[in-house]
Amino acid sequence: MTPASEHTEAVEALLHENRHFPPSAAFAAAATTDASIYAEASRDPEAWWAEQARTLAWERPFTTTLEWEVPFARWFADGTLNASVSCVDRHVAAGRGDKVALHWVGEPEGDRVDITYADLLVRISQAAHALTALGVRTGDRVAIYLPMIPEAVVAMLACARIGATHMVIFGGFAPDAIADRVLDADARFVVTADGGYRRGAAAALKPQVDDALRRCPEVAAVLVVRRTGQEVTWVEGRDHWWHELVEAQPERHEAEAFPAEHPLFIMYTSGTTARPKGIVHSTGGYLTQAATTHRIVFDIKADTDICWTSADVGWITGHSYVVYGPLSCGATVLMYEGAPNHPEPDRFWDIIDRHGVTIFYTAPTAIRAFMRWGDDYVKKHSLKSLRLLGSVGEPINPEAWMWYHTLIGKKRCPIVDTWWQTETGCIMVTPLPGITATTPGSCTLPFFGVVPKILDEQGHEVPRGGGGKLFLKNPWPSMLRTLWGDDERFKKQYWSELPGYYFAGDGARFDADGYLWVVGRIDDVLNVSGHRIGTAEVESALVSHPSVAEAAVVGRPDELKGQALVCFVTLKNNFTAAPELKEQLRAHVAKEIGSLARPDDVRFAAGLPKTRSGKIMRRILKEIAAGGIVKGDTTTLEDFNVVAALQAQEE
Ligand code: WT7
């Protein structure tokens, strides 16, 4: 792990930012909350959370709020509820069934569907019956590998409805990555599609599942949505068409309530070892924080807002702010299937104008891509419906923030830069629109009850202005409950760095105003285009190639992607370093993990820089990858010639 002090330099650069953007009087006057909420919620955050939880539909009301036996939290544990009822049924029951829940926009132009809350309830009910007919029971895990189509939302909520724990796998993952997750979670059911549209072409999904399931003989049933009409191979008895099975089911389904701590879903994410971690989220606590943060952070007016979170439902952002947050609030969601630059780089702005999107939430890497494509694409559209913008996934560089503020928000929309993680489930640190003055690059202040601490190597609190490791002190409702099937790894991964504190894996600091600046990961996890990639996973994919003897993967700062993946590889004796082999290795990683992990750069080396005890010195590799001259302490380095050779072959 990199010592926190090494991040000081990066934070230093950020701290030269001193622009402040107070909320406009007009926005503040119309906002759903005002500054008094800080005092109110901070008086007793636990009681405040209990009050928020009561806004959901409970079958049996809870009487206890929090049971906390470090590191295991139980929120609202004696209450029972059904997440799909809180997200859908209760809005229909309240007479809001005709309100649009989902404006779905397919990638091919003109391909769109509007689904009301009443329609959504029918679809979820039918899917719940279909899953039951396939043998899915409460407590089973169901893998969902779908494009961004309405069935993804329906499948998630149908699982929730019958108490099956869903595990959504991002559609960009390769067969091996799918199989690893299905096996780890012991999922016996899969929901997928023939394919989905991406950049004007139909991309196949079913073959990836077929391939993955060769390693997963326990999978009993696969439900397949027909989206593109591509040819598919069929396993009789195992595979079922969605349109045949689901659409034939009864339109009403009696939902059962489950205990608040019942696992709603598992979301796999990368860590410091090659094996992805199955982050387990609860029902009551998770949904409470998803609903509350959605409502307050995005200033939701459920009757009029149209909320677009551009993330895929295959990631936590999609779970919390495409599905559970907005639907539990009864808001209208905009969901888009495809690429931001299809057919032209102004597709997003076209969608915003066409559908009157009011709240737009995206990632800095996307903002930087829009900047690169040019302002003219933006200026063709009015964007006048927008009233609030959000950012998530990585630190936003001040240039991108200013561009977002000026070109997209027309200087009138507050920007909420929200810090959180797959593990935290929901937003943790964020400005509140209409209340908090924002500063480009800072995610500003903790949400209620969240207590971030910046600590040094010895576990001492670092004074304001100083950089350190980011920890969270108190439990919060949507915190991960454990790693699927591995309490020990959960304890070790998050709670052993400083006992009693959750270790976030990020480096950060507070500025003089008490605003938080998150710099990025300080463990061996990279953030490439907002996707979290473990270097160990990529290394393990590389060494699975017959030519590779040893591999080390590091991040290199990249203007567009945030970080680029640079791989240093030593070859086995009978292989020669050749440009074709570089291409093969890049393709090999994409095939093993998915194209999101395709290395940007592969460099062959005769040896990797190691300490005398044989540990790869990543710090040196990072400096070489960044094109810098290796500085700092190299006294523990085993062989100086290795560094000289690596630097000499720089492109
Ligand atoms: C990591 C979590 C949160 C959902 C999407 C990513 C980085 C996230 C910010 C932000 C600076 C951020 C952190 C964090 N990160 N949001 N606003 N400012 N950094 O979820 O894949 O679990 O990644 O993303 O490094 O640890 P994830």
Side-chain angles (χ1 to χ4, degrees):
M1 193 160 296
T2 320
S5 56
E6 278 188 19
H7 289 268
T8 313
E9 228 171 279
V11 184
E12 215 62 71
L14 277 175
L15 282 181
H16 291 305
E17 180 57 59
N18 51 16
R19 287 169 284 200
H20 283 273
F21 295 84
S24 76
F27 192 97
T32 38
T33 47
D34 62 38
S36 67
I37 194 169
Y38 271 107
E40 187 195 313
S42 311
R43 215 173 299 132
D44 185 350
E46 254 176 70
W48 187 81
W49 276 122
E51 206 180 299
Q52 305 309 310
R54 285 189 196 99
T55 66
L56 301 176
W58 294 84
E59 171 77 23
R60 186 173 71 218
F62 56 91
T63 63
T64 62
T65 299
L66 170 66
E67 292 154 48
W68 178 225
E69 274 175 51
V70 187
F72 298 101
R74 292 161 56 80
W75 286 83
F76 321 120
D78 64 344
T80 65
L81 76 169
N82 184 299
S84 88
V85 170
S86 276
C87 287
V88 185
D89 301 45
R90 62 169 171 151
H91 306 309
V92 177
R96 303 176 73 236
D98 290 339
K99 187 181 161 56
V100 173
L102 223 55
H103 283 302
W104 177 79
V105 180
E107 194 188 76
E109 281 178 289
D111 192 0
R112 48 170 290 192
V113 184
D114 292 334
I115 299 172
T116 65
Y117 273 94
D119 297 336
L120 187 59
L121 180 55
V122 170
R123 289 184 184 226
I124 293 165
S125 299
Q126 289 183 314
H129 281 298
L131 291 175
T132 306
L134 290 175
V136 181
R137 297 290 172 262
T138 301
D140 286 349
R141 272 79 55 212
V142 177
I144 299 175
Y145 183 73
L146 283 172
M148 282 288 280
I149 55 177
E151 286 81 355
V153 179
V154 172
M156 287 165 73
L157 290 169
C159 286
R161 198 166 184 90
I162 61 173
T165 298
H166 60 69
M167 190 250 288
V168 184
I169 303 171
F170 173 60
F173 277 114
D176 260 331
I178 301 170
D180 289 344
R181 286 157 176 76
V182 167
L183 289 170
D184 190 77
D186 190 19
R188 307 286 174 95
F189 306 91
V190 180
V191 183
T192 188
D194 50 359
Y197 289 100
R198 193 80 193 168
R199 288 200 182 86
L205 287 180
K206 174 95 174 13
Q208 322 291 327
V209 172
D210 289 335
D211 195 356
L213 294 191
R214 274 195 267 275
R215 281 176 50 202
C216 313
E218 304 285 353
V219 169
V222 179
L223 191 53
V224 188
V225 177
R226 191 157 67 194
R227 164 70 187 128
T228 57
Q230 282 161 297
E231 279 292 315
V232 290
T233 51
W234 208 250
V235 178
E236 277 313 321
R238 185 196 73 179
D239 297 351
H240 306 263
W241 282 115
W242 177 289
H243 60 272
E244 286 172 2
L245 186 71
V246 176
E247 285 159 27
Q249 300 297 323
E251 296 192 350
R252 292 178 72 93
H253 179 273
E254 201 63 48
E256 194 188 323
F258 304 102
E261 283 297 319
H262 187 72
L264 181 62
F265 66 88
I266 305 171
M267 172 97 254
Y268 280 82
T269 190
S270 296
T272 48
T273 66
R275 201 159 63 88
K277 304 177 289 188
I279 308 294
V280 179
H281 281 291
S282 71
T283 304
Y286 171 79
L287 200 59
T288 296
Q289 193 161 337
T292 307
T293 50
H294 184 74
R295 181 170 52 81
I296 295 177
V297 175
F298 298 110
D299 184 50
I300 293 305
K301 321 255 190 281
D303 287 337
T304 47
D305 275 321
I306 297 180
C307 310
W308 184 11
T309 293
S310 73
D312 194 283
V313 290
W315 306 113
I316 190 73
T317 309
H319 280 51
S320 301
Y321 302 106
V322 176
V323 184
Y324 288 109
L327 296 181
S328 59
C329 290
T332 297
V333 170
L334 188 126
M335 183 175 177
Y336 170 57
E337 176 187 32
N341 54 353
H342 184 84
E344 293 292 327
D346 65 342
R347 186 69 191 271
F348 272 26
W349 322 128
D350 179 67
I351 291 174
I352 288 173
D353 272 4
R354 229 177 255 270
H355 294 270
V357 170
T358 57
I359 317 280
F360 179 60
Y361 189 32
T362 196
T365 188
I367 298 169
R368 292 191 299 264
F370 298 135
M371 287 170 75
R372 182 172 289 195
W373 291 333
D375 298 359
D376 289 347
Y377 286 110
V378 181
K379 290 178 179 158
K380 283 184 2 200
H381 304 272
S382 89
L383 305 184
K384 65 175 190 295
S385 56
L386 288 174
R387 63 181 198 88
L388 185 143
L389 303 174
S391 172
V392 63
E394 54 180 310
I396 180 165
N397 46 312
E399 301 71 42
W401 197 101
M402 287 307 297
W403 186 89
Y404 200 28
H405 172 68
T406 313
L407 267 284
I408 308 302
K410 315 288 184 205
K411 300 188 178 167
R412 123 194 125 240
C413 303
I415 296 179
V416 289
D417 174 0
T418 60
W419 177 86
W420 56 294
Q421 310 178 294
T422 306
E423 290 87 343
T424 69
C426 296
I427 292 170
M428 299 293 281
V429 181
T430 177
L432 296 186
I435 302 174
T436 317
T438 51
T439 294
S442 168
C443 52
T444 75
L445 300 171
F447 199 72
F448 313 120
V450 175
V451 185
K453 296 273 179 197
I454 309 288
L455 305 176
D456 66 15
E457 295 302 310
Q458 285 72 44
H460 299 130
E461 212 156 320
V462 177
R464 278 187 182 183
K469 296 176 175 178
L470 177 61
F471 289 84
L472 300 171
K473 186 164 178 281
N474 293 347
W476 60 97
S478 67
M479 70 194 288
L480 76 166
R481 295 306 195 255
T482 188
L483 295 180
W484 180 257
D486 204 343
D487 286 350
E488 284 314 307
R489 193 175 171 205
F490 167 63
K491 288 187 204 160
K492 191 162 167 280
Q493 184 80 45
Y494 302 103
W495 302 92
S496 65
E497 188 86 8
L498 185 68
Y501 288 71
Y502 169 83
F503 175 51
D506 281 333
R509 88 151 87 181
F510 285 114
D511 68 14
D513 300 327
Y515 276 18
L516 188 69
W517 296 75
V518 174
V519 187
R521 306 291 309 193
I522 51 174
D523 50 11
D524 292 324
V525 173
L526 304 182
N527 194 326
V528 179
S529 297
H531 297 316
R532 191 160 145 180
I533 296 171
T535 53
E537 275 169 82
V538 181
E539 287 163 5
S540 136
L542 283 166
V543 296
S544 75
H545 191 274
S547 68
V548 175
E550 199 175 26
V553 175
V554 298
R556 173 183 71 202
D558 183 274
E559 224 183 274
L560 204 58
K561 298 174 152 190
Q563 282 185 300
L565 265 171
V566 180
C567 310
F568 293 89
V569 168
T570 61
L571 294 175
K572 289 184 184 155
N573 275 340
N574 41 346
F575 289 88
T576 27
E580 306 80 66
L581 187 53
K582 281 190 184 184
E583 279 318 303
Q584 279 174 26
L585 291 177
R586 295 179 67 225
H588 178 72
V589 174
K591 186 178 127 288
E592 292 290 304
I593 303 175
S595 48
L596 71 168
R598 185 190 301 274
D600 296 279
D601 195 356
V602 175
R603 301 207 191 166
F604 295 121
L608 298 176
K610 289 186 184 162
T611 62
R612 285 180 197 117
S613 60
K615 255 182 81 106
I616 293 176
M617 295 180 83
R618 292 170 176 284
R619 180 180 57 79
I620 291 181
L621 290 177
K622 273 183 214 166
E623 287 174 18
I624 294 170
I629 303 300
V630 174
K631 43 187 194 285
D633 189 9
T634 50
T635 47
T636 53
L637 185 64
E638 172 67 18
D639 180 359
F640 284 96
N641 296 327
V642 164
V643 173
L646 282 169
Q647 278 186 324
Q649 59 137 8
E650 243 167 58
E651 286 135 327

